[in-house]
Amino acid sequence: MGSDSDWRVMSDASQLLTDFGVPHEVEVVSAHRTPDKLMRYGREARGRGMKAIIAGAGGAAHLPGMLASVTALPVIGVPVQLATLDGLDSLLSIVQMPAGIPVATVSINGAKNAGLLAVRILAASDSALAAQVEDYARTLEAQVDEKNRRLKENL
């Protein structure tokens, strides 16, 4: 994440990865304040065994795109909402990448979906993890059925 203040949003991605048993790391890497660290982090990620990067940033939000420019790993961008512009600035900064530098972008503050997207990327080559993703989907379906049942009881 671009700043420790982003943890309030990005913790959802970390929790989802933990829930699925996916080892991961959490790091503050600023595209503007620590550019050398950003370059090292992105270039060395695959060598450290990482399979995807989830990068959350607010405001100018250059972190996901800059990471995508220095690694072959899939990068998932999370626009973090700040006090101004309701996170639209972050969203546009992340989603408007030039051709050749893709960043998969989730909704503003959508770190949970970023975590789930990373899990699905990993599950494409891990049948046990794919089974967990399918179980998760069934759990969501059961939750909707239960909500529907409760709603009908209160009509």
Side-chain angles (χ1 to χ4, degrees):
M1 64 198 106
S3 171
D4 64 338
S5 63
D6 297 335
W7 181 243
R8 65 183 169 74
V9 170
M10 298 305 292
S11 62
D12 289 345
S14 180
Q15 184 60 58
L16 189 122
L17 293 168
T18 297
D19 292 346
F20 275 88
V22 174
H24 59 283
E25 58 188 39
V26 175
E27 190 80 23
V28 174
V29 180
S30 172
H32 303 108
R33 293 180 294 262
T34 61
D36 292 335
K37 180 179 180 180
L38 176 139
M39 294 297 175
R40 256 189 335 274
Y41 188 86
R43 288 182 176 139
E44 296 171 0
R46 197 164 63 90
R48 288 196 321 275
M50 295 178 77
K51 305 287 186 207
I53 297 174
I54 300 171
H62 290 134
L63 180 64
M66 289 302 297
L67 284 168
S69 75
V70 297
T71 185
L73 295 174
V75 175
I76 303 164
V78 180
V80 175
Q81 182 178 8
L82 300 179
T84 57
L85 302 177
D86 291 327
L88 187 58
D89 53 341
S90 307
L91 174 65
L92 294 175
S93 292
I94 296 171
V95 78
Q96 293 292 348
M97 294 303 301
I101 311 296
V103 173
T105 308
V106 297
S107 63
I108 297 169
N109 291 349
K112 184 173 184 176
N113 269 352
L116 188 56
L117 181 55
V119 168
R120 287 179 172 210
I121 290 168
L122 298 173
S125 61
D126 182 332
S127 60
L129 194 55
Q132 282 184 270
V133 171
E134 291 168 354
D135 287 345
Y136 180 80
R138 283 190 290 276
T139 299
L140 293 177
E141 184 178 359
Q143 289 173 357
V144 170
D145 288 344
E146 176 60 21
K147 289 176 182 182
N148 186 46
R149 185 191 63 73
R150 282 196 315 254
L151 175 66
K152 287 181 179 185
E153 285 178 356
N154 291 320
L155 293 179

